[in-house]
Amino acid sequence: MLESYSGYRLILRLSLIITALFLLGYMIGQVTGTVIIGTILLLVWHYRQIARLNFWLWKDRRITPPQGQGSWEGVFNGIYRLQGKNRRRVGQLASLLGRFRQGAEALPDAAVVLDSTYNILWCNKLAQLVLGFVWPQDNGQRIDNLIRHPDFSNYLKKGDYEVPLEIPSPVSENRLLEIRIMSYGDRQLLLMARDVTRLNQLEGMRKDFVANVSHELKTPLTVLQGYLEIMQSMEGDGSHNAKPLALMQQQTTRMQSMVEQLLALSRIEAAGDVDLTQVVNMQFMFEVLKEEAQALALDDYTLSFDCDKTLNVHGIELQLRSACSNLISNAIRYTAPGGHIAISWKRVAAGAEFAVTDNGVGIAPQHISRLTERFYRVDNARSSKTGGSGLGLAIVKHALNHHHSELLVTSELGKGSTFSFVIALPLLESQ
């Protein structure tokens, strides 16, 4: 039944049939007629086998082929084997597809597979719940016909999926979704939608809490500092209370500074989309920063300044000044007296770069990635002595985010650090 096809055997059979026809024709004295009649009968037999094969392939419901005869036995058996292989492959693909769908259903996010023209090819059950899709009725529908939010339509038109999009859920306006689109395979797209309503609410509550607590602490700290100043003025020289009062005043001032920084951070976070059409006079701002740096450094540090006076940017002056001022004060705070600090504002290939370089204590590599976290300090004991609150670089981070930039840090422990950021070319003022 499963005998393989052999070209040698086919030629041998054909040769034997022709030889037999010649011998038969020679014996009866009709060689030509016998060969012609034999050939016709052979063709009829072959056409009958073709008819049997055609009937089996298109009409017969049986899996096994009809019993082949002669050279057709190998053809029938070969087709049967190919069908068996195809059935096994189809079964494997169906099993693989089933496992894929089970995995996709287990995802914590809504998943939608799209083609290159944004038509829906498949979606999991969570997508039906979160996005309001109906499966399989929505199969082949363009996704922007089902998600009609204008921000989503613009997101698809731009084709830039690096940054996720947040839009209200089509099912409920009270639910906020984070949309991510990733390309894969042969011009296919995978859309992932995550419900970030709770995260958004928690973030809002955190911001409100920090802002409210900071605001509420400001008044009692001001009163406390005022009474401490009065008590200090009432103490004479050599009083035993002078030192405790001085320490209390120092810690009150430090706490007031921390509250001011928390309020500044809350204002920057609450700013949302900022107006980047304003032109910032960087030469004027650099002069102000220079005066502040010299006041902080006194005569204990060597300061050098390099400013491109023709290089202005579009942005929020208060936020940029706050970012630059924090970087300068950090460099002075964590550099030993006698150290050198270089401050520069210059044009680079990517735009305009502000950089502060010092030869201070430096930062170990494991700390660099966490420097912009709130209240994160490399050395708590040292930061307490220098008055650091752990909020300065967090303010820098959020201020730079509003200007589509980020803080870059390079440092070597014991040799110094460079803190810098680049304002991209689109935000530079055209000359």
Side-chain angles (χ1 to χ4, degrees):
M1 180 70 179
L2 297 178
E3 184 179 359
S4 63
Y5 175 83
S6 172
Y8 172 78
R9 292 183 63 185
L10 178 62
I11 295 174
L12 181 60
R13 284 180 180 177
L14 185 60
S15 301
L16 289 174
I17 292 172
I18 294 174
T19 302
L21 290 174
F22 265 102
L23 290 175
L24 180 61
Y26 179 77
M27 291 173 62
I28 63 176
Q30 296 288 336
V31 175
T32 304
T34 302
V35 171
I36 292 174
I37 293 173
T39 304
I40 292 172
L41 292 175
L42 184 62
L43 286 174
V44 170
W45 181 82
H46 277 292
Y47 271 107
R48 183 174 178 276
Q49 301 302 319
I50 292 174
R52 293 177 67 201
L53 175 62
N54 184 68
F55 177 81
W56 175 59
L57 290 175
W58 294 100
K59 296 181 180 180
D60 198 350
R61 295 183 179 181
R62 291 180 301 173
I63 296 177
T64 57
Q67 183 65 39
Q69 299 175 356
S71 58
W72 283 92
E73 183 179 4
V75 175
F76 286 165
N77 292 339
I79 294 176
Y80 177 69
R81 292 185 65 186
L82 286 176
Q83 285 185 331
K85 289 181 180 179
N86 288 335
R87 281 193 296 271
R88 287 192 294 271
R89 287 177 182 174
V90 169
Q92 291 172 353
L93 289 175
S95 177
L96 183 62
L97 183 60
R99 290 197 297 270
F100 163 76
R101 288 187 172 179
Q102 289 175 356
E105 294 293 354
L107 289 173
D109 303 329
V112 184
V113 178
L114 309 171
D115 63 15
S116 58
T117 56
Y118 307 116
N119 296 319
I120 299 174
L121 300 179
W122 180 83
C123 68
N124 62 1
K125 290 182 181 179
L126 196 56
Q128 300 173 48
L129 295 174
V130 173
L131 299 173
F133 294 167
V134 179
W135 190 259
Q137 287 85 337
D138 289 335
N139 184 20
Q141 291 278 351
R142 272 186 63 99
I143 193 166
D144 49 355
N145 290 335
L146 302 175
I147 304 177
R148 295 180 176 274
H149 197 281
D151 290 345
F152 182 72
S153 299
N154 293 333
Y155 189 64
L156 292 181
K157 289 178 182 177
K158 289 181 180 178
D160 182 9
Y161 309 128
E162 292 294 327
V163 180
L165 172 70
E166 291 188 357
I167 59 170
S169 170
V171 177
S172 172
E173 292 290 330
N174 297 324
R175 299 170 68 180
L176 187 67
L177 300 181
E178 181 186 77
I179 304 290
R180 289 180 178 271
I181 297 179
M182 292 134 312
S183 59
Y184 76 99
D186 184 16
R187 295 183 297 174
Q188 288 187 329
L189 300 170
L190 176 63
L191 182 145
M192 304 292 291
R194 174 178 297 179
D195 190 340
V196 293
T197 307
R198 183 61 177 166
L199 292 175
N200 191 267
Q201 290 174 346
L202 290 174
E203 182 67 12
M205 291 169 62
R206 181 193 63 78
K207 291 179 182 179
D208 292 341
F209 173 78
V210 171
N212 293 335
V213 169
S214 302
H215 188 269
E216 293 299 325
L217 285 175
K218 191 173 182 180
T219 300
L221 282 173
T222 303
V223 174
L224 182 59
Q225 189 174 34
Y227 278 108
L228 283 173
E229 290 175 357
I230 294 173
M231 293 173 69
Q232 282 180 310
S233 65
M234 294 171 61
E235 296 294 329
D237 295 338
S239 171
H240 293 293
N241 296 326
K243 185 175 181 180
L245 288 173
L247 289 174
M248 291 169 66
Q249 180 75 308
Q250 178 185 351
Q251 293 303 315
T252 304
T253 303
R254 181 167 174 262
M255 195 168 182
Q256 261 192 329
S257 174
M258 188 182 298
V259 168
E260 292 293 339
Q261 286 186 315
L262 279 171
L263 288 171
L265 184 57
S266 297
R267 285 193 294 269
I268 292 175
E269 284 184 325
D273 294 333
V274 297
D275 181 12
L276 297 179
T277 60
Q278 303 175 29
V279 177
V280 180
N281 187 333
M282 293 301 294
Q283 180 184 357
F284 174 77
M285 192 178 84
F286 205 80
E287 291 297 328
V288 174
L289 293 173
K290 184 177 180 180
E291 292 178 5
E292 291 179 354
Q294 289 172 341
L296 285 173
L298 299 176
D299 296 325
D300 297 332
Y301 301 90
T302 303
L303 303 179
S304 62
F305 300 88
D306 179 19
C307 175
D308 186 343
K309 299 179 180 180
T310 64
L311 194 56
N312 295 326
V313 299
H314 293 274
I316 306 300
E317 181 177 357
L318 186 62
Q319 293 187 14
L320 287 176
R321 180 180 168 185
S322 176
C324 297
S325 179
N326 272 293
L327 294 181
I328 294 171
S329 63
N330 272 2
I332 294 173
R333 185 178 294 118
Y334 296 111
T335 302
H340 178 263
I341 297 168
I343 304 159
S344 65
W345 171 251
K346 60 185 179 181
R347 188 183 296 273
V348 294
E353 180 190 61
F354 180 86
V356 179
T357 303
D358 62 64
N359 60 349
V361 295
I363 305 166
Q366 66 268 24
H367 296 296
I368 291 178
S369 62
R370 301 189 60 190
L371 289 177
T372 56
E373 295 179 13
R374 293 175 178 83
F375 300 109
Y376 183 81
R377 293 181 291 191
V378 175
D379 186 337
N380 287 330
R382 186 179 67 207
S383 297
S384 298
K385 293 177 182 177
T386 55
S389 64
L391 290 170
L393 293 182
I395 292 174
V396 173
K397 173 187 173 181
H398 286 84
L400 295 181
N401 283 345
H402 287 164
H403 294 80
H404 308 288
S405 182
E406 61 181 7
L407 181 64
L408 305 175
V409 183
T410 56
S411 183
E412 188 174 351
L413 197 61
K415 294 188 177 181
S417 309
T418 297
F419 289 77
S420 64
F421 62 86
V422 174
I423 302 296
L425 290 171
L427 289 182
L428 299 188
E429 182 192 20
S430 57
Q431 301 294 328

